[in-house]
Amino acid sequence: MHADGPGPVPADDSPLDAGPAGRPGRRRVLKAIGAGAAAVSFGAVGTGTARADEEQFTDAIVIGAGYAGGTVARELGAKGLTSVVLEARDRIGGRIWTSTWAGEQIELGGQWVSPSHRLVNAELARYRIGIVRDPDPQRVAVARGGRLEHVAPAEAAALLEPLWKEFYKGSEQYFERPAEPLYRKDLLAAVDPLSVADRLRQMNLSPAERDLISGDTAAYCGGSLQNGSLTGMAQWYQLSGGTYDSYSTTIGSRPAGGMTALLQAMLQDSGARVRLNSPVAKVTQSGSRVVVETRDGRRYAARTVVVATPANVWRNITFAPGLPPAHARATAQGIGLPSGTKMVLHVKGEVEAIGGTATEGSPILMMVPQKQLADGRLMVAFPGPQLNVADPVQVQQAVRQWIPGAQVLASRAMEWGKDPFSAGSWGLRRPGQLLGLFPQIEQPHGRILFAGADIAQGWHGAYIEGAVESGKRAAQQALQLLA
Ligand SMILES: Cc1cc2nc3c(=O)[nH]c(=O)nc-3n(C[C@H](O)[C@H](O)[C@H](O)COP(=O)(O)OP(=O)(O)OC[C@H]3O[C@@H](n4cnc5c(N)ncnc54)[C@H](O)[C@@H]3O)c2cc1C
């Protein structure tokens, strides 16, 4: 990878010559065409024909340097095709954002991987990246009698497991093959229209039972139980193995070096040129070429374009011709949840490793303990939309519901729903979207292809596994198109 652009760039220690085996390294190709590092001409690179009136021409343009875009670029690079990756922000990663805070590495977006994330684990092995574990909760907070009670992990599991089993009842049938979500389309018609709120209503829970699981579901739905589909959550559950324990593996294990490290390795391997600070404004296809224009007027042309941005922001790009109906619907409805904030807290003193979930409507819906430092413990919190994360008094009060008397030294939050380049948080399909969008949402629009966790078949939305899956599918489509 070589990142360039007018703003700050992530450290780039990438060997530009590290092209995939059997093809010339990027630096040698660029030297061969006399290109400088800052203003690169792609005119003679790739198998496409350069036109004098276009600034840059390449085999493929990838829009977005998240996991989906990184996968596409790496897969195409491995087949000897050239691509340029246009990234709107001043960093790679998208809804993955490894940062440093309180002297520690933190994740402001996606954080955990699971053994059931087959593709991601294969990538981690390929780039020799290990796994590190968060501390296990010593005590689990469960909502009982209008407050949060701390119980032993085994007691929490005994309370919660039967409720989750009931919540997901039948999903082993309607997701008989969870990686092929439409396999039992016949059974899905009855369940896909249901929201998580509908499913909780169907269960006829006692108020005490509802309190135990409503906060967890609300956390996954970004605060509003109407937003998430039952089938969205049930598919994740079945993909993990279909048990309370198997689904628990989706939280707690992280790639060593942070979530961005794997993406960095993939982009480095791709040989692609990554242009940061390059928000795309317009994508126009005519004949055998597609022209992409950035907001500052730069133009790039290629034989194919892969749109690897969140589905929620497709609506901010002008497509000519316009988006097909399923894509237009997806971006209008949204797949990334409108609110879905992540907060890292630094809580003073020796603090017990408390994890768990509160009730729906609580200012903090879910808490995951992190490292104990010399002066306090780091905690990850998923607040509901009613918490003003910028108000330290509110944050302090919210944390005290979890840990009485706790003193918050500092907090850092990322409100993904307010970010212009995601316009939403992690993805969770809305009620009806599985049958309403698939399989059309994965299909090419002429020479324009789509990738992204939001539109993955398997671990969609809330998992980088889905981004990698969809990136691999889009790369295959690009290879067929360019053959
Ligand atoms: C708070 C939070 C917690 C999460 N927790 C986990 C977790 O624990 N484990 C896990 O696996 N996943 C988790 N996820 C989900 C995971 O982060 C996403 O599924 C995944 O990163 C999406 O990858 P993507 O490439 O599809 O999209 P993105 O990561 O959103 O990448 C898309 C890229 O497109 C760029 N872009 C947007 N518009 C334009 C434009 N006009 N021009 C050019 N570029 C543009 C964006 O800047 C971005 O870099 C979490 C997400 C969030 C927000």
Side-chain angles (χ1 to χ4, degrees):
M1 171 186 69
H2 181 80
D4 57 20
V9 296
D12 183 6
D13 53 358
S14 57
L16 290 183
D17 271 330
R23 72 191 178 94
R26 189 82 188 140
R27 190 187 296 279
R28 269 178 289 137
V29 171
L30 295 178
K31 271 192 189 146
I33 61 170
V40 176
S41 164
F42 284 78
V45 181
T47 51
T49 313
R51 271 174 44 162
D53 60 338
E54 299 298 351
E55 200 187 318
Q56 317 211 341
F57 193 95
T58 185
D59 289 324
I61 295 166
V62 180
I63 306 177
Y67 265 92
T71 303
V72 173
R74 201 279 314 278
E75 294 284 294
L76 296 184
K79 297 288 180 196
L81 298 179
T82 57
S83 49
V84 60
V85 180
L86 299 175
E87 167 53 50
R89 294 182 172 109
D90 62 4
R91 60 172 181 85
I92 63 165
R95 282 170 282 177
I96 294 299
W97 188 5
T98 308
S99 184
T100 304
W101 183 76
E104 294 292 320
Q105 187 175 80
I106 59 161
E107 301 288 350
L108 290 162
Q111 177 160 349
W112 299 290
V113 296
S114 153
S116 48
H117 296 161
R118 192 177 52 81
L119 300 173
V120 167
N121 280 291
E123 297 296 344
L124 289 168
R126 178 177 185 153
Y127 296 107
R128 296 190 168 82
I129 296 174
I131 294 284
V132 292
R133 288 276 309 160
D134 282 348
D136 287 326
Q138 293 164 294
R139 310 273 282 166
V140 176
V142 291
R144 270 206 297 214
R147 64 189 195 88
L148 285 174
E149 217 176 278
H150 297 172
V151 301
E155 188 183 341
L159 285 168
L160 298 171
E161 187 170 4
L163 295 172
W164 287 119
K165 207 168 170 187
E166 182 61 22
F167 182 83
Y168 292 121
K169 195 169 157 185
S171 60
E172 67 286 0
Q173 280 138 24
Y174 57 81
F175 287 127
E176 188 180 330
R177 294 187 187 176
E180 296 170 51
L182 296 184
Y183 183 67
R184 293 304 307 267
K185 206 171 170 182
D186 55 326
L187 299 180
L188 286 171
V191 279
D192 195 41
L194 298 180
S195 67
V196 169
D198 294 331
R199 177 64 191 144
L200 288 175
R201 261 194 302 275
Q202 275 183 348
M203 287 168 71
N204 285 321
L205 297 166
S206 69
E209 288 172 329
R210 194 186 159 96
D211 277 356
L212 282 170
I213 63 168
S214 70
D216 195 321
T217 46
Y220 277 94
C221 291
S224 166
L225 297 172
Q226 315 292 336
N227 278 338
S229 60
L230 167 65
T231 58
M233 287 192 68
Q235 194 190 357
W236 295 333
Y237 180 79
Q238 287 303 331
L239 281 163
S240 76
T243 66
Y244 175 79
D245 283 343
S246 66
Y247 196 40
S248 305
T249 67
T250 55
I251 291 185
S253 299
R254 296 178 279 117
M259 283 287 263
T260 312
L262 173 61
L263 176 62
Q264 184 104 24
M266 293 169 84
L267 281 168
Q268 202 163 311
D269 198 7
S270 72
R273 174 156 294 254
V274 179
R275 286 199 163 251
L276 301 175
N277 303 300
S278 301
V280 166
K282 191 170 181 190
V283 180
T284 309
Q285 51 179 332
S286 64
S288 59
R289 52 199 278 119
V290 189
V291 176
V292 172
E293 257 179 87
T294 56
R295 285 187 196 167
D296 61 6
R298 277 174 287 141
R299 298 177 86 203
Y300 300 80
R303 296 196 290 148
T304 186
V305 168
V306 181
V307 182
T309 71
N312 290 24
V313 301
W314 296 342
R315 58 182 179 247
N316 300 337
I317 298 173
T318 303
F319 289 92
L323 287 173
H327 295 77
R329 246 188 351 267
T331 193
Q333 295 169 346
I335 298 176
L337 291 160
S339 65
T341 295
K342 186 168 178 188
M343 192 161 53
V344 186
L345 304 159
H346 188 184
V347 183
K348 190 176 176 183
E350 188 73 29
V351 179
E352 204 176 18
I354 301 291
T357 54
T359 52
E360 178 195 2
S362 301
I364 292 177
L365 295 164
M366 185 186 277
M367 195 89 100
V368 184
Q370 305 286 289
K371 205 169 166 184
Q372 175 71 50
L373 309 178
D375 59 346
R377 185 181 287 281
L378 296 183
M379 312 277 288
V380 160
F382 292 91
Q386 55 276 71
L387 180 69
N388 178 358
V389 293
D391 179 348
V393 177
Q394 276 196 35
V395 171
Q396 169 90 324
Q397 280 168 355
V399 173
R400 286 191 173 163
Q401 292 184 6
W402 285 74
I403 309 170
Q407 193 184 332
V408 178
L409 294 172
S411 65
R412 182 160 171 199
M414 176 63 195
E415 296 177 275
W416 290 95
K418 293 184 180 168
D419 186 288
F421 298 118
S422 53
S425 193
W426 60 85
L428 171 56
R429 288 190 304 256
R430 305 288 188 277
Q433 280 189 334
L434 177 55
L435 293 179
L437 300 180
F438 283 82
Q440 305 89 311
I441 199 77
E442 294 190 307
Q443 282 159 11
H445 175 38
R447 291 181 167 268
I448 302 176
L449 310 170
F450 295 86
D454 297 335
I455 59 165
Q457 285 215 14
W459 285 96
H460 71 280
Y463 300 96
I464 57 169
E465 176 77 0
V468 174
E469 176 219 294
S470 78
K472 285 187 167 239
R473 186 261 306 140
Q476 278 306 319
Q477 291 171 326
L479 289 169
Q480 273 167 20
L481 195 71
L482 301 184

